[in-house]
Amino acid sequence: MLESTAMSPAHLGFDGHHRNLPGGRDPHALFEQTLKGWNGRDDVWVFGYASLIWRPEFESIEHRRATVYGWHRALEMRSRVNRGTPEYPGLVFALVRGGCCHGMAYRVAAAGARAELERLWAREMPTGVYDPKWLQCRTPGGTVRALAFTLSHKSPSHTGPLPEAQMIEILRRANGRYGSTLTYLVETARCLKSCGIRDRDVERLVALARRHSLTT
């Protein structure tokens, strides 16, 4: 059974003004809806594909290399809180339909899963823009069902591929509560490389930033 204690919207990092942001939804309602996909007894798996690899900020008891099919990593989601502002949005990675994505799967012990997911939610879902989904992840130890943060092509926060000039301007200027879009990109690229994960689009974006002297 799921714990009966439900956290308040404020505890989940939800501020009502986020409803007014493009694509903004109530993260509290999404949290409770998503938890219906967990039986409350088994350990929970979470799929990380960007900052959750290099800064997970939740307790896990195991992690494995993992691949999700039917989705790919794309720096195509506007960030108006974590890596930008409403006035000058930044970008963050999202799982977008098509292709495949190599990342990491983290196993969270059932006993503390709700509390750890609440921490994760406050960080990843301040505006409720992501579409949380339970996806099948292939790992060396077998397939696991993991929570992943995806983005619909129909979302107003989905940019699609941006022109290089616009991307450079975002990398140069966008900054939010967790830092800049540029730092986020560079750290993700560094961590993927250290994990032996190759992502040519991430490498292309870092090379673009280097050509414009934004990073070394």
mmCIF file of all heavy atoms in Angstrom, residues 10 46 68-69 102 174 178:
data_model
loop_
_atom_site.group_PDB
_atom_site.id
_atom_site.type_symbol
_atom_site.label_atom_id
_atom_site.label_comp_id
_atom_site.label_asym_id
_atom_site.label_seq_id
_atom_site.Cartn_x
_atom_site.Cartn_y
_atom_site.Cartn_z
ATOM 1 N N ALA A 10 3.229 23.100 -1.490
ATOM 2 C CA ALA A 10 4.402 23.890 -1.109
ATOM 3 C C ALA A 10 5.578 22.989 -0.787
ATOM 4 O O ALA A 10 6.721 23.287 -1.132
ATOM 5 C CB ALA A 10 4.068 24.774 0.097
ATOM 6 N N VAL A 46 14.509 4.883 -11.270
ATOM 7 C CA VAL A 46 14.449 6.202 -11.897
ATOM 8 C C VAL A 46 15.478 6.240 -13.017
ATOM 9 O O VAL A 46 16.635 5.852 -12.810
ATOM 10 C CB VAL A 46 14.741 7.327 -10.876
ATOM 11 C CG1 VAL A 46 14.782 8.691 -11.567
ATOM 12 C CG2 VAL A 46 13.707 7.320 -9.753
ATOM 13 N N VAL A 68 16.854 3.381 -23.035
ATOM 14 C CA VAL A 68 15.418 3.503 -23.295
ATOM 15 C C VAL A 68 15.233 3.635 -24.808
ATOM 16 O O VAL A 68 15.890 4.468 -25.441
ATOM 17 C CB VAL A 68 14.829 4.731 -22.571
ATOM 18 C CG1 VAL A 68 13.416 5.011 -23.052
ATOM 19 C CG2 VAL A 68 14.840 4.526 -21.066
ATOM 20 N N TYR A 69 14.345 2.828 -25.376
ATOM 21 C CA TYR A 69 14.073 2.887 -26.806
ATOM 22 C C TYR A 69 12.760 3.636 -27.065
ATOM 23 O O TYR A 69 11.813 3.555 -26.286
ATOM 24 C CB TYR A 69 14.022 1.479 -27.394
ATOM 25 C CG TYR A 69 15.384 0.818 -27.413
ATOM 26 C CD1 TYR A 69 15.809 0.020 -26.351
ATOM 27 C CD2 TYR A 69 16.257 1.026 -28.469
ATOM 28 C CE1 TYR A 69 17.067 -0.563 -26.348
ATOM 29 C CE2 TYR A 69 17.518 0.450 -28.482
ATOM 30 C CZ TYR A 69 17.917 -0.336 -27.419
ATOM 31 O OH TYR A 69 19.180 -0.902 -27.409
ATOM 32 N N HIS A 102 20.770 6.493 -24.075
ATOM 33 C CA HIS A 102 21.600 5.781 -23.117
ATOM 34 C C HIS A 102 21.788 6.656 -21.886
ATOM 35 O O HIS A 102 22.132 7.839 -21.998
ATOM 36 C CB HIS A 102 22.959 5.447 -23.727
ATOM 37 C CG HIS A 102 22.870 4.643 -24.986
ATOM 38 N ND1 HIS A 102 22.473 3.321 -25.000
ATOM 39 C CD2 HIS A 102 23.118 4.976 -26.280
ATOM 40 C CE1 HIS A 102 22.479 2.876 -26.240
ATOM 41 N NE2 HIS A 102 22.862 3.864 -27.040
ATOM 42 N N ALA A 174 21.517 32.683 -20.514
ATOM 43 C CA ALA A 174 20.488 32.110 -19.642
ATOM 44 C C ALA A 174 21.068 31.588 -18.331
ATOM 45 O O ALA A 174 22.043 30.833 -18.322
ATOM 46 C CB ALA A 174 19.749 30.993 -20.372
ATOM 47 N N TYR A 178 19.605 27.071 -10.461
ATOM 48 C CA TYR A 178 20.667 26.075 -10.343
ATOM 49 C C TYR A 178 21.878 26.413 -11.207
ATOM 50 O O TYR A 178 22.785 25.603 -11.327
ATOM 51 C CB TYR A 178 20.151 24.683 -10.708
ATOM 52 C CG TYR A 178 19.181 24.105 -9.707
ATOM 53 C CD1 TYR A 178 18.052 23.402 -10.124
ATOM 54 C CD2 TYR A 178 19.391 24.257 -8.332
ATOM 55 C CE1 TYR A 178 17.162 22.864 -9.208
ATOM 56 C CE2 TYR A 178 18.497 23.729 -7.417
ATOM 57 C CZ TYR A 178 17.390 23.034 -7.851
ATOM 58 O OH TYR A 178 16.508 22.504 -6.948
#
